[in-house]
Amino acid sequence: MPQFKYVGRTMQGGRRTGTIVSESKRDAIMKLRQKGIKVIEIAEVPQTILTKEITFRKAVKLRDFVIYLRQFATLLKAGVSVVDSTRILADQTESKALKKALVEVEESLRAGNPLSAAAAKHPRVFPAMFVNMVKAGEAGGNMDETLDRLADHFEKMHRTRQKIVSALTYPIAVAVIAVVVVIFLLVSVVPTFVAMFADFHAELPAITKFVLRASDIMQTYWWLVITGFIGIYAVFSLMKKQKKTKYYLDYAAMRIPFFGKLIQKAALARMTRTLSSLFSSSVPILQALSIAENVVENEVIGKVMRQARDSLERGQSLAEPLKKHWAFPPLVTQMIAIGEETGSLDAMLAKVADFYEAEVDAGVDRLKSLIEPIMILLLSGVVGTIVASIIIPMYDIFNHIQQ
């Protein structure tokens, strides 16, 4: 949170200097007034590497942003001004990052700046799509409709993303449980039988030798296993930040059986929904393609979109570069071509987005029903192998004792 240095006077006329932590300059002045200090000068203290708040995640959750857009549109329709609406929403929102941004946006609005310019100063809170559509809404005088369209867009995007997350949550959870169970068995359970097997000098089957060897490795090099998992996660995180390596990761993800098609359809749904919303708000087509390229979060699709933008700059068709790439099915390219010919590109793209969003919903349901038995089978197989490696030699030992 920003820190402000101030010079002021008390009610008794005494001079007072100091610093105060507040969300904005306006809030700082109000806090000082409540303390009986009249502010003469106030300035924000520049942040250093030690005082700067470091964040690694997106500033505002998509759910909070959708609620903000819905409420904003409702207030404007009710005749409340943009400035007053921003103040009301700053007081009501539960997101600290959004609250802080809205307070600063209100100050900028009161200084005479348009909403689009004020929002553009907070790119981590207000995406480029929001800024450009608001700018178009300001020019067309239909801000409430623009905000409703934005809310619809982000709401559908949020729903599609949640569907993908829900499909991946189950297998990841089962995989984590499987790893924890296997480590527990290898470190705590299997070693208790090693001494017994050694005392009887029994000839151990291959499966038992393999499990005992795995147990020894896990007990000795457990730290290396944990470091390996952390290292793999770190490498993947770094690769995702580089466009070149992210392209290969996205390509591989889209080629995975079952999951790949779902990822491809989700990316196409985001792309077509974004372009439809931008075109409906009269955002220039080249600018819309640049925004959609970032929103789609898939470098394979993004690369083709850059080619499509270059094609448009040369006066050629938008659909032509898409037809040449395997990631774009005929449905997408044909609908875009029809939209270009009839001048209804936004409507055609909206229909494509509706289709793929429905496909993602159905695909997630199918995937869940398929993954559940497979993951249970895998978990049973791994645990069963460890249990069998202990039980099989024990039968031999009992037979040896009885003889």
Side-chain angles (χ1 to χ4, degrees):
M1 195 175 287
Q3 193 175 39
F4 297 89
K5 189 174 182 180
Y6 66 89
V7 178
R9 291 192 180 279
T10 62
M11 299 290 287
Q12 293 76 27
R15 186 181 174 86
R16 179 75 64 87
T17 60
T19 58
I20 185 170
V21 176
S22 187
E23 292 180 347
S24 68
K25 189 183 290 187
R26 183 174 69 88
D27 277 354
I29 293 170
M30 288 178 67
K31 285 180 181 178
L32 290 169
R33 277 183 190 166
Q34 289 171 0
K35 293 179 180 180
I37 301 171
K38 184 180 179 182
V39 176
I40 300 171
E41 293 178 14
I42 188 166
E44 185 175 349
V45 178
Q47 290 183 325
T48 66
I49 195 166
L50 296 175
T51 61
K52 189 175 181 180
E53 184 181 353
I54 301 173
T55 55
F56 297 96
R57 298 176 61 188
K58 190 172 175 64
V60 181
K61 291 180 181 178
L62 202 53
R63 175 181 166 276
D64 292 329
F65 195 64
V66 170
I67 292 171
Y68 156 71
L69 291 170
R70 287 283 183 217
Q71 291 176 337
F72 200 178
T74 303
L75 287 169
L76 291 181
K77 284 177 182 176
V80 182
S81 68
V82 173
V83 178
D84 289 337
S85 298
T86 303
R87 177 180 53 78
I88 293 166
L89 294 171
D91 292 336
Q92 289 184 352
T93 184
E94 295 177 0
S95 170
K96 291 182 180 178
L98 183 57
K99 181 183 181 70
K100 178 183 173 183
L102 288 175
V103 168
E104 293 178 12
V105 165
E106 185 196 346
E107 288 182 359
S108 184
L109 289 170
R110 292 188 185 280
N113 297 310
L115 176 60
S116 55
K121 296 175 183 176
H122 305 276
R124 292 189 70 250
V125 175
F126 302 102
M129 182 173 177
F130 173 88
V131 174
N132 283 275
M133 284 184 67
V134 165
K135 190 183 291 183
E138 288 169 340
N142 57 340
M143 273 285 291
D144 53 346
E145 292 177 15
T146 300
L147 289 167
D148 264 335
R149 199 176 293 126
L150 274 166
D152 288 338
H153 168 82
F154 283 109
E155 198 167 16
K156 287 172 181 174
M157 190 169 74
H158 177 62
R159 196 182 304 124
T160 303
R161 186 173 293 174
Q162 288 298 105
K163 280 281 184 180
I164 299 292
V165 170
S166 67
L168 297 174
T169 299
Y170 182 81
I172 291 171
V174 173
V176 170
I177 292 169
V179 170
V180 171
V181 169
V182 168
I183 291 173
F184 172 75
L185 291 173
L186 292 177
V187 173
S188 300
V189 178
V190 173
T192 60
F193 293 90
V194 173
M196 184 179 70
F197 294 152
D199 289 341
F200 284 94
H201 305 287
E203 181 62 30
L204 300 177
I207 188 173
T208 305
K209 289 178 180 178
F210 172 76
V211 171
L212 291 178
R213 180 60 181 158
S215 177
D216 289 339
I217 292 171
M218 186 61 69
Q219 289 180 80
T220 308
Y221 300 105
W222 60 268
W223 57 271
L224 195 60
V225 175
I226 294 172
T227 305
F229 278 116
I230 295 171
I232 291 168
Y233 176 78
V235 168
F236 268 92
S237 297
L238 288 171
M239 287 175 71
K240 285 175 72 176
K241 290 180 180 178
Q242 304 294 326
K243 274 195 173 185
K244 195 170 183 179
T245 51
K246 189 178 185 303
Y247 175 87
Y248 294 111
L249 287 176
D250 289 336
Y251 181 90
M254 291 172 72
R255 290 297 193 181
I256 297 172
F258 303 114
F259 282 104
K261 283 290 181 185
L262 196 63
I263 292 167
Q264 179 187 359
K265 288 173 182 178
L268 289 172
R270 279 198 302 272
M271 184 204 82
T272 50
R273 180 66 65 193
T274 302
L275 287 175
S276 173
S277 299
L278 291 166
F279 292 156
S280 297
S281 298
S282 303
V283 175
I285 188 166
L286 295 176
Q287 200 170 357
L289 286 169
S290 297
I291 294 166
E293 179 192 330
N294 295 321
V295 170
V296 76
E297 296 175 356
N298 186 299
E299 193 55 30
V300 175
I301 304 289
K303 185 177 180 180
V304 184
M305 292 184 70
R306 287 193 291 274
Q307 293 170 358
R309 191 173 66 234
D310 294 340
S311 174
L312 282 171
E313 286 177 341
R314 293 193 299 269
Q316 297 172 2
S317 168
L318 169 64
E320 203 58 40
L322 310 185
K323 289 178 183 177
K324 300 174 184 177
H325 201 277
W326 59 268
F328 291 86
L331 172 68
V332 178
T333 55
Q334 288 169 9
M335 292 289 273
I336 289 175
I338 292 169
E340 285 183 306
E341 289 175 9
T342 59
S344 57
L345 193 54
D346 55 341
M348 292 296 106
L349 287 166
K351 290 183 185 299
V352 174
D354 290 337
F355 174 79
Y356 279 115
E357 283 165 0
E359 282 283 293
V360 169
D361 289 350
V364 167
D365 293 336
R366 286 195 299 268
L367 203 58
K368 279 181 178 178
S369 62
L370 181 67
I371 283 175
E372 192 168 337
I374 291 174
M375 293 303 294
I376 291 171
L377 191 65
L378 286 173
L379 182 57
S380 303
V382 172
V383 175
T385 300
I386 297 173
V387 173
S389 70
I390 296 170
I391 292 175
I392 291 171
M394 285 182 71
Y395 275 119
D396 293 337
I397 291 170
F398 291 147
N399 290 333
H400 181 72
I401 293 171
Q402 287 175 357
Q403 292 173 2

